[in-house]
Amino acid sequence: GAVVSQHPSWVICKSGTSVKIECRSLDFQATTMFWYRQFPKQSLMLMATSNEGSKATYEQGVEKDKFLINHASLTLSTLTVTSAHPEDSSFYICSAEPGGRVGTYEQYFGPGTRLTVT
Amino acid sequence: ELKVEQNPLFLSMQEGKNYTIYCNYSTTSDRLYWYRQDPGKSLESLFVLLSNGAVKQEGRLMASLDTKARLSTLHITAAVHDLSATYFCAVDILGTYKYIFGTGTRLKVLA
């Protein structure tokens, strides 16, 4: 149980275009989803917290107009990278936290999406 | 500033040896998680530590949590090549559901 999927697993796009990444919880409802980015050989950095039906909360330094997050349902959150630039190339990982569980507060991580902007 | 530091950052060890990875954090928390990441892959959950004094073991790995010292350890016993990966700890910020990840420890086990 507690499976999170991401689509696509990898994407190459040209500078100036927009890319949408989907994050789905497959066998549970996720009150909260999180988006991380990871540069090569570095740790994961939290970008934003996404709650179903409300606006995402962005971490300091993350441009909310550039990284649009929509948590349309309890099983789906999307991250859209707008007007992508080569410096946006990274590994984007989402996670989901099942609402209603007591005690663990554990996040379940998706397989990641590798974005390359040319 | 919230910090989660791991040491060592890099670890090269011989098969059969023991070693410990340390995770120090600066915020108040009583929940800490350990993950493994293989190159090009996402995170694999290893341990969930939910209280002071928690100790969990799985195979050659054992994790512990001391919330008073704000320290967690991941102990490797009799390392094998298959344990080569990057290991991250993550601290759950009290009162939120957000994680702050440690700097990561890249482990290479030499045959």
Side-chain angles (χ1 to χ4, degrees), chain A residues 11-19 66 81-89 115-118:
Chain A
V11 58
I12 301 173
C13 71
K14 293 186 176 181
S15 287
T17 62
S18 296
V19 174
K66 180 168 186 61
V81 183
T82 62
S83 187
H85 291 278
E87 55 264 33
D88 298 325
S89 298
L115 170 64
T116 301
V117 184
T118 61

Side-chain angles (χ1 to χ4, degrees), chain A residues 3-5 22-26 28-36 46 48-52 56-57 69-78 93-98 107-108, chain B residues 97:
Chain A
V3 178
V4 176
S5 70
E22 292 186 350
C23 176
R24 293 182 185 272
S25 55
L26 298 185
F28 65 98
Q29 292 185 329
T31 304
T32 307
M33 289 183 169
F34 303 85
W35 287 95
Y36 298 83
L46 178 65
T49 303
S50 166
N51 290 292
E52 186 264 340
T57 302
I69 292 172
N70 182 23
H71 194 149
S73 73
L74 285 172
T75 59
L76 173 64
S77 177
T78 60
I93 304 174
C94 74
S95 70
E97 192 268 332
Q107 296 179 22
Y108 297 93
Chain B
Y97 299 108

Side-chain angles (χ1 to χ4, degrees), chain A residues 6 32 34 36 38 41-44 46 49 59 91 93 97 103-107 109-112 114, chain B residues 31 33 35 37 39-43 45 47-48 50 88 92 96-104 106:
Chain A
Q6 279 184 245
T32 307
F34 303 85
Y36 298 83
Q38 184 181 33
K41 295 182 170 50
Q42 294 189 23
S43 187
L44 281 75
L46 178 65
T49 303
E59 295 300 301
F91 193 43
I93 304 174
E97 192 268 332
T104 68
Y105 303 97
E106 186 174 2
Q107 296 179 22
F109 287 83
R114 188 162 303 283
Chain B
R31 296 192 294 268
Y33 310 85
Y35 295 91
Q37 186 178 39
K41 304 290 186 182
S42 187
L43 303 179
S45 178
F47 297 107
V48 177
L50 299 178
F88 291 99
D92 191 334
T96 77
Y97 299 108
K98 299 197 292 187
Y99 287 6
I100 299 296
F101 276 85
T103 45
R106 289 173 62 193

Side-chain angles (χ1 to χ4, degrees), chain B:
Chain B
E1 182 187 352
L2 301 175
K3 285 187 178 180
V4 182
E5 296 179 331
Q6 290 179 232
N7 73 83
L9 297 181
F10 302 97
L11 176 56
S12 180
M13 58 191 297
Q14 296 288 333
E15 276 194 329
K17 298 293 186 183
N18 305 332
Y19 208 84
T20 300
I21 298 170
Y22 297 88
C23 172
N24 292 274
Y25 56 97
S26 64
T27 185
T28 300
S29 177
D30 56 4
R31 296 192 294 268
L32 189 139
Y33 310 85
W34 282 97
Y35 295 91
R36 167 183 173 142
Q37 186 178 39
D38 291 297
K41 304 290 186 182
S42 187
L43 303 179
E44 174 190 348
S45 178
L46 295 175
F47 297 107
V48 177
L49 303 171
L50 299 178
S51 61
N52 185 41
V55 177
K56 291 197 173 179
Q57 182 165 5
E58 182 73 34
R60 301 175 188 275
L61 301 178
M62 183 173 71
S64 66
L65 176 61
D66 181 343
T67 59
K68 293 181 181 178
R70 298 183 180 176
L71 170 68
S72 180
T73 61
L74 180 66
H75 186 73
I76 303 159
T77 301
V80 293
H81 179 71
D82 286 350
L83 290 179
S84 298
T86 299
Y87 293 85
F88 291 99
C89 62
V91 173
D92 191 334
I93 302 172
L94 206 61
T96 77
Y97 299 108
K98 299 197 292 187
Y99 287 6
I100 299 296
F101 276 85
T103 45
T105 296
R106 289 173 62 193
L107 170 65
K108 186 171 184 179
V109 181
L110 304 173

